[in-house]
Amino acid sequence: EENKIAIKTTKPPPKILLQPSNPYYDEINEVVSRHIHRIYEKTKGGEDTWECIAEEGELKVYKREIEENGIVLDPLKAVHTVTGITGHEVCHHFWDIKVRMDWEATLESSDVVEWLSEDTFICHNVIKRVWPASQRDAVFWTHIRHVPGESDEEPDVWIVVNYSTDHKSVPNGKYVRVTMNVAMVCQTIIDPPADGKITRDNIRCKISYTADVNPGGWAPASVLRAVYKREYPRFLKRFTSYVKDATAKKEVMF
Ligand code: 16C
C-alpha cells in the first residue's frame, strides 16, 4: 500500500517494565496516577454536569459539551459492568495491538512506532475518514499497568492509558492530527461460590472508560457529536463482547 507511511518498527519489545531512566517515565506515571485517583473520587453531590447519551443494561455513556474556538472537545466517560471477564483480560485486549483491528471499527490502520518497554509502546492510528471532514491520525504512547487497591477493601486496578505524543518517524501533515487522553480502568469483583470453585460465572469486571479527544482541526460540530454518540457506545459493546468471546474457553487470567 503505497499510501501508507513506512513506520513499522523492526525492533522487538524490551523484556523489562518501564524504567525510571526512560524519558517518558515521569509523564506516564503522572498521567496514570491522575486516572487512578479519578476512580476513587466519589461523586460529591451537587449538580451532575455529565449528560447521559446512551444507556443499555449496565452500560452508561456520558458526555460534557465543551467547545473551544469552534472545536468540539466534549469529554466522554462510560461505565460498564461485564460478567465473565477480569480487568486484566479487558486491559490486555485493549492494549495488545496485535488484536486491535479485531475490535476497532473506526481505524484504517494501527502500527507500532517504537517499543519503550514490555508494557509501553508508541503507536500510530489512522482513523477512517468521515465525510465531509479531513482524515485524521493519532500518535500516542499506550501503557498497561497493574496497581494494588487503595485500601484492603478496594480491589486491584488494571489500567491502560493512551496518551498523545510526538514521534520523529511519524511527521505531522499528511492527516489532521488528533490528540487524546484515553483511559480504560478496571476492577474485578469476585463473588466466591459456596464450594469455593471460582468460575467465570463468579467474576465481574467494573469498567470505567474516559476519552478526552481534540479532533485537531475544524470538524462540523453536529456531525462530530452524532458520530461520537453512535461510535462510543458501539465501541464499548463490541469491545467487551470481543473480550468475552476471546476468553470464554480460556483459563481465567486474574
Ligand atoms: O479508545 C479507543 N481506541 C483506542 C485504540 O485505538 C484509542 C483510540 C481513540 C480514538 C479517539 C477518537 C478519535 C476521534 C477522531 C475525530 C474524528 C473526526 C471526524 C470528523 C467528523 C465530522 O484510544 C476506542 C475508540 C472508540 C471510537 C470513538 C469514536 C471515534 C470516532 C472516529 C470517527 C471514525 C468513524 C468511522 C465510521 C465507520
Side-chain angles (χ1 to χ4, degrees):
E1 300 152 62
E2 52 172 318
N3 223 10
K4 233 156 137 186
I5 311 167
I7 49 152
K8 284 190 182 121
T9 181
T10 47
K11 280 207 195 122
K15 288 197 168 38
I16 185 162
L17 297 179
L18 190 72
Q19 298 297 302
S21 58
N22 192 289
Y24 291 86
Y25 184 83
D26 288 338
E27 179 179 91
I28 291 175
N29 280 341
E30 257 168 53
V31 176
V32 168
S33 330
R34 267 190 271 136
H35 283 295
I36 303 249
H37 280 122
R38 278 223 283 224
I39 65 160
Y40 295 122
E41 276 172 17
K42 304 278 178 270
T43 327
K44 292 180 185 76
E47 214 187 322
D48 193 359
T49 48
W50 292 91
E51 176 194 339
C52 186
I53 56 168
E55 182 167 2
E56 207 181 305
E58 293 288 311
L59 170 66
K60 291 182 189 74
V61 184
Y62 306 87
K63 73 160 179 188
R64 222 154 39 193
E65 290 203 352
I66 296 180
E67 268 175 58
E68 230 174 68
N69 305 321
I71 295 183
V72 171
L73 300 178
D74 300 357
L76 184 129
K77 72 171 176 183
V79 290
H80 201 1
T81 300
V82 185
T83 56
I85 50 180
T86 66
H88 188 183
E89 289 166 336
V90 168
C91 284
H92 171 77
H93 289 85
F94 187 65
W95 176 80
D96 185 3
I97 196 168
K98 292 199 291 294
V99 301
R100 187 175 291 166
M101 296 306 269
D102 296 346
W103 57 263
E104 261 285 14
T106 63
L107 296 184
E108 198 166 283
S109 65
S110 186
D111 294 297
V112 177
V113 175
E114 184 187 344
W115 280 97
L116 300 181
S117 52
E118 202 179 2
D119 49 9
T120 318
F121 58 93
I122 295 174
C123 62
H124 181 223
N125 276 0
V126 178
I127 300 152
K128 286 181 181 167
R129 179 164 181 246
V130 182
W131 184 90
S134 315
Q135 192 166 18
R136 262 67 176 175
D137 72 347
V139 177
F140 56 94
W141 52 253
T142 176
H143 173 77
I144 184 168
R145 189 183 293 194
H146 177 211
V147 188
E150 203 185 38
S151 65
D152 287 348
E153 295 84 60
E154 281 289 343
D156 289 3
V157 172
W158 274 91
I159 180 169
V160 175
V161 178
N162 293 342
Y163 191 87
S164 281
T165 191
D166 292 315
H167 199 280
K168 55 180 183 334
S169 63
V170 201
N172 200 339
K174 184 166 175 169
Y175 306 99
V176 174
R177 182 64 50 89
V178 167
T179 55
M180 61 165 113
N181 180 0
V182 170
M184 178 75 77
V185 189
C186 300
Q187 290 178 303
T188 307
I189 317 283
I190 303 171
D191 302 306
D195 66 6
K197 279 195 74 183
I198 295 165
T199 69
R200 291 198 175 271
D201 297 337
N202 314 115
I203 296 167
R204 267 177 302 145
C205 181
K206 267 174 61 185
I207 299 173
S208 149
Y209 171 86
T210 53
D212 278 302
V213 173
N214 184 325
W218 184 82
S222 61
V223 181
L224 191 57
R225 289 196 166 115
V227 169
Y228 284 173
K229 192 180 169 139
R230 184 188 68 210
E231 294 301 330
Y232 279 109
R234 185 181 274 181
F235 147 64
L236 284 146
K237 286 185 272 176
R238 184 177 151 109
F239 170 69
T240 50
S241 60
Y242 168 78
V243 177
K244 281 192 81 149
D245 290 349
T247 54
K249 294 194 174 68
K250 292 194 180 135
E251 211 177 297
V252 182
M253 188 164 76
F254 286 103

